[in-house]
Amino acid sequence: MVFPLRLFCAVAIAGFIFVDGAGVKIPSTLDGPFEPVTVPFDQSLRGNAVDLPDSDPRVKRRVKGFEPEQISISLSAHYHSVWISWITGESQIGYNIKPLDPKTVASVVRYGMIRQPLTHEATGYSLVYNQLYPFEGLQNYTSGIIHHVRLTGLNPNTLYYYRCGDPSRQAWSKVGSFKTMPVSGPRNYPDRIAVVGDLGLTYNTTTTISHLISNKPDLVLLVGDVTYANLYLTNGTGSDCYSCSFPQSPIHETYQPRWDYWGRFMQNLVSKVPIMVVEGNHEIEEQARGQTFAAYSSRFAFPSEESGSSSTFYYSFDAGGIHFVMLGAYIAYNKSENQYKWLERDLANVDRSKTPWLVATWHPPWYSSYKAHYREAECMRVAMEELLYSYGVDIVFNGHVHAYERSNRVYNYTLDPCGPVYITVGDGGNREKMAVEHADDPGHCPEPSTTPDEYMGGFCATNFTSGPAAGKFCWDQQPEYSALRESSFGHGILEVKNETWALWTWYRNQDSYGKVGDQIYIVRQPNKCPVHQQRTARWFAAS
């Protein structure tokens, strides 16, 4: 049931929000902190993480010549601009590859508010990337021509029609459509934002995306680990485990055609609904001369320049009254580094009267109680947590751990009513299967020396010095910061209702459409939790 605004506000003030007329109460963070809950793992879910084969019709190339394929939309920093991306021409993999020339195919988008005629036209740029290996027996890859075109001057909350291609070749896509974001303001929000992580391209992925589409999102956040192409050798042989795959190979190989498969499979969704992506560890994909992240940085368009960033690894954007900050865990983040300095500037420029909600996203979680990747991102937490807390970040989304976990409000491992709610959704459906062991289970606490990630800059996780786990590396029971954890594939939907209330819902793949796995209202309390600028203003007034 959808409540009228007056009824919603009245009920919200009283603290009672009902799902329907049956009177089922949805809890809110005002009711917390909650006692930790662990949902028992269903063993029948372990056997389904099988990749779609290259023979599956959903991943085959269906266009001819230089017709566009793998079409996707991403947002710019503000409502009046979006990016349209696509690929033309065929990729190549082998020992004697010859890259296509991007200059031979134009990058043109025609668009308008009616299907015909499309009265506006924009041009962009194109590129080709390679994945090269200086080792005998390893096959090299070169992509098709990747096009990125930015549309500007758009109206807010408006349906636009578009087609992309090269008019000189008569190589056009079919007419598609997308809807722009609302203008930034405390009462303007996209209806539904889907959040998913660690997708891959398995049969579980297809269920996740099918359920996600049924929820009709206006925006998709993908919190890292896109295709898992690096679970394959260059000859297409696959493995179920990143850390144990192909130890005899001279370099960690990757099978780049899996990116093309993923782009084709996802086109039905992301050619209509904008997708915003942040990098995960499976996007590193090291190649010749130490180059990394070539596919990730080439295939997606990012509002980096528009948001003042010089990197594809961190950027920000607005979606109505929400300001999203996308951070990179696999690039330097200390206070002396460019990312941290950019983050300081970005947060200082956020106007909470226009974008009351502040949401941050990066791949590896700071607050996870699973054994997998336990406290792996501690160096990033030590470097950045205080800054994010001081500016009043409301929600943090992460992936990496292949399970679901929602936290109580927390800061520096201590329950704090002004801390963010951390939500791990690394359960999109990837081939590596679910994380099921918890660090607090007897005998499952990792050896501290095994916890840091080689890409995160060092070892920062030590025994706790205070609190219930003082003197230990792991808690003896589910940590008090962990409100709910469950090992199931799924996705989440964020629905911001007004400047202080947002509904978070997590859906499990094994459930029927519409059934809820976890649901809570996340409530901001700006009067109790003033942000950095307000504190600074009071300090100057007092002095």
Side-chain angles (χ1 to χ4, degrees):
M1 175 180 291
V2 178
F3 289 97
L5 182 60
R6 286 182 299 173
L7 177 58
F8 173 84
C9 293
V11 179
I13 292 171
F16 293 94
I17 307 297
F18 298 95
V19 174
D20 53 31
V24 179
K25 182 188 175 187
I26 300 174
S28 81
T29 51
L30 298 178
D31 302 319
F34 301 95
E35 291 294 319
V37 172
T38 299
V39 178
F41 176 61
D42 183 349
Q43 291 287 340
S44 68
L45 302 177
R46 284 195 68 85
N48 301 320
V50 177
D51 275 341
L52 296 185
D54 56 12
S55 59
D56 191 292
R58 292 170 289 186
V59 306
K60 283 183 169 293
R61 188 172 189 265
R62 297 184 294 274
V63 299
K64 299 177 181 178
F66 287 94
E67 294 174 350
E69 66 158 355
Q70 303 181 50
I71 303 168
S72 65
I73 302 167
S74 55
L75 300 179
S76 186
H78 304 289
Y79 73 86
H80 48 68
S81 178
V82 304
W83 287 92
I84 309 292
S85 303
W86 70 95
I87 295 180
T88 55
E90 294 193 55
S91 62
Q92 304 163 53
I93 188 165
Y95 303 108
N96 296 297
I97 59 173
K98 184 179 180 181
L100 297 172
D101 182 358
K103 297 178 182 178
T104 61
V105 184
S107 306
V108 178
V109 174
R110 290 179 179 163
Y111 62 101
M113 287 184 282
I114 57 175
R115 183 179 290 270
Q116 292 293 343
L118 299 173
T119 55
H120 301 282
E121 182 173 292
T123 59
Y125 68 95
S126 59
L127 61 106
V128 166
Y129 80 90
N130 303 313
Q131 186 80 19
L132 305 176
Y133 298 105
F135 301 102
E136 184 177 354
L138 303 192
Q139 298 184 55
N140 295 318
Y141 173 90
T142 183
S143 71
I145 300 172
I146 302 170
H147 305 262
H148 298 300
V149 177
R150 185 182 173 202
L151 313 186
T152 59
L154 305 177
N155 295 326
N157 207 34
T158 300
L159 183 68
Y160 281 88
Y161 296 92
Y162 75 97
R163 67 190 311 195
C164 55
D166 182 346
S168 68
R169 293 176 175 268
Q170 290 299 307
W172 286 107
S173 70
K174 295 180 180 179
V175 176
S177 65
F178 64 89
K179 188 178 181 181
T180 53
M181 291 294 107
V183 66
S184 293
R187 294 177 178 83
N188 301 329
Y189 301 96
D191 290 337
R192 298 177 190 85
I193 299 170
V195 187
V196 66
D198 301 68
L199 261 182
L201 190 55
T202 68
Y203 290 99
N204 275 311
T205 307
T206 66
T207 303
T208 300
I209 296 302
S210 176
H211 285 203
L212 186 155
I213 290 173
S214 74
N215 280 317
K216 299 180 180 179
D218 300 287
L219 173 65
V220 177
L221 297 184
L222 176 49
V223 296
D225 283 0
V226 180
T227 69
Y228 290 80
N230 67 348
L231 293 187
Y232 286 79
L233 294 175
T234 63
N235 65 12
T237 301
S239 172
D240 290 336
C241 170
Y242 176 81
S243 60
C244 63
S245 57
F246 320 117
Q248 66 274 51
S249 180
I251 191 172
H252 197 110
E253 301 174 43
T254 173
Y255 186 63
Q256 289 294 294
R258 298 295 305 181
W259 279 95
D260 296 307
Y261 302 164
W262 190 89
R264 292 164 190 154
F265 173 79
M266 291 292 289
Q267 177 177 305
N268 184 52
L269 170 64
V270 299
S271 63
K272 305 179 183 74
V273 179
I275 183 169
M276 305 303 287
V277 183
V278 72
E279 76 280 2
N281 56 299
H282 283 273
E283 281 72 73
I284 295 172
E285 297 185 319
E286 184 181 0
Q287 56 171 297
R289 297 182 296 279
Q291 184 179 357
T292 54
F293 294 103
Y296 163 82
S297 295
S298 300
R299 289 176 178 266
F300 298 107
F302 306 92
S304 300
E305 182 179 351
E306 302 100 278
S307 60
S309 168
S310 59
S311 172
T312 60
F313 303 126
Y314 52 89
Y315 60 92
S316 66
F317 64 95
D318 292 342
I322 313 168
H323 184 72
F324 286 94
V325 177
M326 315 289 276
L327 298 177
Y330 304 99
I331 188 173
Y333 42 64
N334 291 325
K335 291 183 178 180
S336 60
E337 302 293 345
N338 289 336
Q339 178 175 204
Y340 190 96
K341 294 176 181 177
W342 169 84
L343 179 59
E344 283 185 307
R345 294 192 303 270
D346 188 82
L347 294 175
N349 288 328
V350 175
D351 184 347
R352 300 300 279 269
S353 68
K354 292 183 177 180
T355 53
W357 287 87
L358 183 53
V359 176
T361 293
W362 60 89
H363 185 57
W366 295 348
Y367 290 97
S368 169
S369 60
Y370 284 84
K371 178 181 178 180
H373 308 299
Y374 180 68
R375 301 181 71 186
E376 187 180 271
E378 190 76 355
C379 289
M380 187 184 182
R381 186 193 70 80
V382 170
M384 288 186 155
E385 185 178 25
E386 194 280 331
L387 179 61
L388 294 175
Y389 177 80
S390 71
Y391 277 97
V393 168
D394 300 299
I395 309 171
V396 173
F397 291 115
N398 304 117
H400 201 43
V401 176
H402 300 161
Y404 175 75
E405 187 164 18
R406 171 174 54 81
S407 80
N408 287 305
R409 291 192 177 276
V410 61
Y411 171 65
N412 195 24
Y413 288 106
T414 303
L415 296 182
D416 187 318
C418 297
V421 174
Y422 290 81
I423 299 175
T424 298
V425 284
D427 59 343
N430 69 85
R431 182 171 177 166
E432 290 184 312
K433 301 183 181 180
M434 300 303 308
V436 297
E437 297 175 342
H438 308 111
D440 50 273
D441 293 336
H444 285 155
C445 181
E447 165 59 38
S449 63
T450 67
T451 58
D453 187 287
E454 61 181 301
Y455 300 103
M456 293 188 195
F459 179 82
C460 297
T462 58
N463 287 352
F464 291 100
T465 58
S466 61
K472 302 173 184 176
F473 190 69
C474 300
W475 294 56
D476 292 331
Q477 58 188 4
Q478 185 174 356
E480 61 184 7
Y481 64 75
S482 174
L484 175 68
R485 62 189 182 188
E486 179 176 353
S487 299
S488 292
F489 289 116
H491 76 283
I493 296 288
L494 179 68
E495 301 171 75
V496 177
K497 303 297 184 180
N498 57 32
E499 58 265 45
T500 54
W501 286 72
L503 178 64
W504 167 254
T505 308
W506 176 61
Y507 296 92
R508 310 186 310 172
N509 281 9
Q510 67 263 35
D511 295 330
S512 59
Y513 289 101
K515 186 177 179 181
V516 170
D518 180 36
Q519 193 166 53
I520 188 170
Y521 276 98
I522 298 172
V523 185
R524 299 181 61 247
Q525 295 182 281
N527 294 331
K528 291 185 177 181
C529 304
V531 299
H532 183 86
Q533 299 101 312
Q534 293 171 323
R535 291 172 183 161
T536 302
R538 279 206 308 272
W539 184 85
F540 278 112
S543 62

